[in-house]
């Protein structure tokens, strides 16, 4: 029986049938031919072209099976990646999306007999996360694209830096609150009720406490050592490692450190000595070329908030205003902005990195961080040129130096 003529109803019906999906049992993968019924498939298997393809398959069966299996796995993973991403979806749903293509590789031509076997192979190969539930097998695609991994790593690094800053601030706030509660504990006083005696008018004896006026430069009190103590403060000479304060207050700070070197209150008192008038001239700013700083103002926009950069130029001679070249995040990288030091914050690097002392006796000296005292908000620094160890320098007196 010959073919129907073009344009006839029978010809159009055959074309419509050939476009849709047919039964898998009547498909020949080697010849890539789809038959519409059992009779057509039987005629195809008896044809000469089919027998030639079977001879080729018999010569190297593993080659064809491996190629079909590889193409099927690539097509399945491509659908899973493009349509579902890294979402957890049923494995059969992805398979139904895959077989909608009429020219797809059929599973009966691969090394897997069932979809369950194929899903288990994906899980063992580390290509997907596979789990079985009452509703069937579920798959989750694992994205190993280098660009995706790099972007994810940068995002995690930024979140970690923001979290570290927040934790440090919360720790400082908790410490201040705890200290304020311990200093301001109200003393329990018995309140006498008001009583009228002999018809006399009530007299209120109100005693207001005078306001405390703090001196400009408070003098640190010196505690006397108990008689049973074996520490002899006056007989021990001062070490060279503790020469980090000015000449006017050097003896007071060293005497206090001899009593308790690791006392947390000593860091706060030493901080006052570092910021005394003899060492810190308030008419001059702390900006220096080569310092790493962080923007702490939102007036420039959200994208510049908490951005980090390097000071590349000083605008004024007093070191109050400078130009900062930003390095992170990526959306503001290589931007150069002119900004005042009031909107900037110093950056504390990790142990072993270079820093610069911003004011004081060793103003402008380059050193290396030897120890970070997190609880006291201080660091120990070893000067590079003088080979001298400076202890308990406050965070705000140093900053990361990149040259």
């Amino acid at each position: 029986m010959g073919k129907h003529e073009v344009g006839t109803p029978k010809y159009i019906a055959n074309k419509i049938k050939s476009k849709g999906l047919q039964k898998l049992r009547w498909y020949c993968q080697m010849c890539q031919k789809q038959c519409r019924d059992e009779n057509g498939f039987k005629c195809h298997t008896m044809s000469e072209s089919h027998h030639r393809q079977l001879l080729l398959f018999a010569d190297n069966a593993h080659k064809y099976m491996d190629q079909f299996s590889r193409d099927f796995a690539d097509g399945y993973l491509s659908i899973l990646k493009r349509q579902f991403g890294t979402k957890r979806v049923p494995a059969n749903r992805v398979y139904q999306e895959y077989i909608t293509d009429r020219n797809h590789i059929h599973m009966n031509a691969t090394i897997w007999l069932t979809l369950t076997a194929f899903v288990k192979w994906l899980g063992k190969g580390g290509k997907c996360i596979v789990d079985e539930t009452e509703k069937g097998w579920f798959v989750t695609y694992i994205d190993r694209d280098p660009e995706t991994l790099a972007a994810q790593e940068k995002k995690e690094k930024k979140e970690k830096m923001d979290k570290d800053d927040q934790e440090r601030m919360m720790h400082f706030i908790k410490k201040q609150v705890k200290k304020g509660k311990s200093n301001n504990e109200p003393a329990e006083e018995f309140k006498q009720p008001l009583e009228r005696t002999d018809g006399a008018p009530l007299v209120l004896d109100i005693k207001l406490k005078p306001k405390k006026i703090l001196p400009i430069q408070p003098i640190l009190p010196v505690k006397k050592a108990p008689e049973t103590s074996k520490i002899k403060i006056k007989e021990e000479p001062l070490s060279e490692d503790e020469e980090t304060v000015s000449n006017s207050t050097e003896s007071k700070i060293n005497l206090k450190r001899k009593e308790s070197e690791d006392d947390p209150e000593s860091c706060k008192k030493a901080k006052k000595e570092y910021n005394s008038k003899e060492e810190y001239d308030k008419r001059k700013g702390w900006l220096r070329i080569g310092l790493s700083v962080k923007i702490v103002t939102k007036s420039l926009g959200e994208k510049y908030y908490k951005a980090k950069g390097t000071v590349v130029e000083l605008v004024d001679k007093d070191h109050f205003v400078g130009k900062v070249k930003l390095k992170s995040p990526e959306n503001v990288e290589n931007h150069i902005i002119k900004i005042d030091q009031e909107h900037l914050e110093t950056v504390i690097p990790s142990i072993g990195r270079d820093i610069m002392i911003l004011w004081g006796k060793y103003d402008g000296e380059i050193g290396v961080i030897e120890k970070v005292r997190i609880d006291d908000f201080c660091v120990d620094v070893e000067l590079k040129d003088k080979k001298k160890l400076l202890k308990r320098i406050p965070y705000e007196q140093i900053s990361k130096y990149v040259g």
Side-chain angles (χ1 to χ4, degrees):
M1 182 178 179
K3 294 183 178 181
H4 298 280
E5 294 182 3
V6 178
T8 60
K10 193 65 176 178
Y11 176 83
I12 296 173
N14 291 339
K15 286 295 183 181
I16 293 173
K17 290 180 181 178
S18 64
K19 286 183 179 180
L21 293 175
Q22 305 296 324
K23 288 187 177 181
L24 184 61
R25 58 184 293 191
W26 296 331
Y27 180 82
C28 179
Q29 185 66 59
M30 285 297 298
C31 301
Q32 296 182 359
K33 180 175 177 59
Q34 176 70 61
C35 300
R36 289 204 298 268
D37 52 20
E38 185 178 1
N39 185 39
F41 185 73
K42 182 179 179 180
C43 294
H44 170 71
T45 55
M46 297 173 63
S47 64
E48 183 181 356
S49 62
H50 179 72
H51 285 286
R52 285 199 299 267
Q53 292 294 333
L54 290 183
L55 291 175
L56 292 175
F57 181 81
D59 292 340
N60 195 350
H62 293 288
K63 175 183 176 182
Y64 288 97
M65 290 286 287
D66 293 342
Q67 183 62 36
F68 291 151
S69 302
R70 193 179 303 112
D71 294 343
F72 177 82
D74 292 343
Y76 186 92
L77 291 175
S78 178
I79 294 290
L80 179 61
K81 178 182 178 182
R82 287 188 289 105
Q83 294 193 16
F84 303 99
T86 56
K87 296 180 180 179
R88 179 175 174 269
V89 294
N92 188 49
R93 181 181 175 187
V94 184
Y95 179 72
Q96 295 299 327
E97 293 289 339
Y98 172 71
I99 64 176
T100 52
D101 183 11
R102 186 171 181 272
N103 297 320
H104 70 276
I105 303 296
H106 292 72
M107 185 174 287
N108 61 355
T110 64
I111 60 177
W112 305 289
L113 299 178
T114 60
L115 181 62
T116 301
F118 173 67
V119 170
K120 290 181 179 179
W121 178 82
L122 290 178
K124 292 179 181 179
K127 301 179 182 297
C128 297
I129 299 175
V130 178
D131 60 313
E132 184 182 11
T133 62
E134 296 178 355
K135 297 182 179 180
W137 289 90
F138 285 78
V139 292
T140 306
Y141 181 71
I142 301 175
D143 194 355
R144 290 192 172 90
D145 189 11
E147 295 181 358
T148 304
L149 294 177
Q152 185 177 2
E153 185 179 356
K154 288 184 179 179
K155 183 179 179 180
E156 291 177 354
K157 187 177 180 181
K158 182 181 178 182
E159 291 178 354
K160 183 179 179 182
M161 293 174 62
D162 295 341
K163 187 177 180 181
D164 292 342
D165 294 340
Q166 293 177 0
E167 288 180 352
R168 188 184 301 170
M169 182 58 66
M170 291 300 297
H171 179 74
F172 175 74
I173 292 174
K174 289 180 180 179
K175 188 176 180 181
Q176 295 296 325
V177 171
K178 185 177 180 181
K179 183 182 176 182
K181 289 182 178 179
S182 61
N183 294 338
N184 298 326
E185 290 183 355
E188 295 183 359
E189 297 180 357
F190 177 74
K191 297 181 179 180
Q192 183 70 24
L194 298 176
E195 295 180 359
R196 186 185 298 273
T197 58
D198 300 335
L202 295 176
V203 179
L204 300 179
D205 187 9
I206 301 176
K207 297 180 180 179
L208 299 177
K209 297 181 179 179
K211 295 183 178 180
K212 296 181 179 180
I213 302 176
L214 298 178
I216 298 177
Q217 294 183 353
I219 300 176
L220 298 176
V222 180
K223 296 181 180 179
K224 294 184 179 181
E227 296 179 358
T228 58
S229 176
K230 298 181 180 180
I231 301 175
K232 297 181 180 180
I233 299 176
K234 296 182 179 180
E235 296 180 1
E236 292 183 5
L238 298 176
S239 62
E240 295 182 357
D241 295 340
E242 299 175 348
E243 296 180 358
T244 57
V245 295
S246 62
N247 296 331
S248 60
T249 59
E250 185 175 1
S251 59
K252 300 175 183 177
I253 297 300
N254 286 336
L255 183 61
K256 187 65 178 177
R257 287 185 180 175
K258 281 296 179 178
E259 290 181 332
S260 178
E261 183 177 355
D262 295 328
D263 184 10
E265 296 297 330
S266 62
C267 177
K268 186 175 180 181
K269 295 178 180 179
K271 193 181 296 185
K272 294 181 180 179
E273 301 298 336
Y274 282 114
N275 298 337
S276 59
K277 286 187 177 181
E278 289 80 2
E279 291 189 339
Y280 177 37
D281 188 0
K282 293 185 178 180
R283 294 175 298 175
K284 186 177 181 181
W286 54 267
L287 289 181
R288 304 287 188 279
I289 296 177
L291 289 182
S292 180
V293 294
K294 180 193 290 187
I295 299 176
V296 293
T297 180
K298 294 184 179 179
S299 59
L300 301 177
E302 290 291 339
K303 65 178 181 178
Y304 291 108
Y305 181 58
K306 288 191 176 181
K308 292 184 178 180
T310 305
V311 180
V312 295
E313 183 181 349
L314 297 176
V315 177
D316 60 339
K317 61 180 180 179
D318 295 329
H319 299 188
F320 281 106
V321 183
K323 292 184 179 180
V324 179
K325 184 177 182 182
L326 303 180
K327 294 185 176 181
S328 65
E330 288 186 351
N331 57 341
V332 297
E333 188 175 359
N334 296 327
H335 289 198
I336 299 178
I337 60 175
K338 181 180 176 182
I339 190 170
D340 192 270
Q341 70 174 14
E342 293 183 359
H343 305 308
L344 296 175
E345 185 183 69
T346 59
V347 176
I348 308 301
S350 57
I351 297 175
R353 297 297 183 90
D354 292 347
I355 58 94
M356 176 184 283
I357 299 178
L358 305 180
W359 65 76
K361 184 178 180 180
Y362 300 99
D363 183 12
E365 293 286 345
I366 307 297
V368 178
I369 290 185
E370 294 294 332
K371 182 179 180 181
V372 179
R373 303 176 185 267
I374 300 178
D375 295 336
D376 300 339
F377 302 95
C378 305
V379 294
D380 294 350
V381 177
E382 182 179 1
L383 300 180
K384 281 190 173 182
D385 297 338
K386 299 183 180 181
K387 301 297 181 181
K388 181 179 293 187
L389 181 64
L390 309 180
K391 290 186 177 181
R392 295 184 177 278
I393 299 183
Y395 282 166
E396 60 269 18
Q397 194 171 353
I398 65 169
S399 184
K400 181 180 179 181
Y401 181 73
V402 296

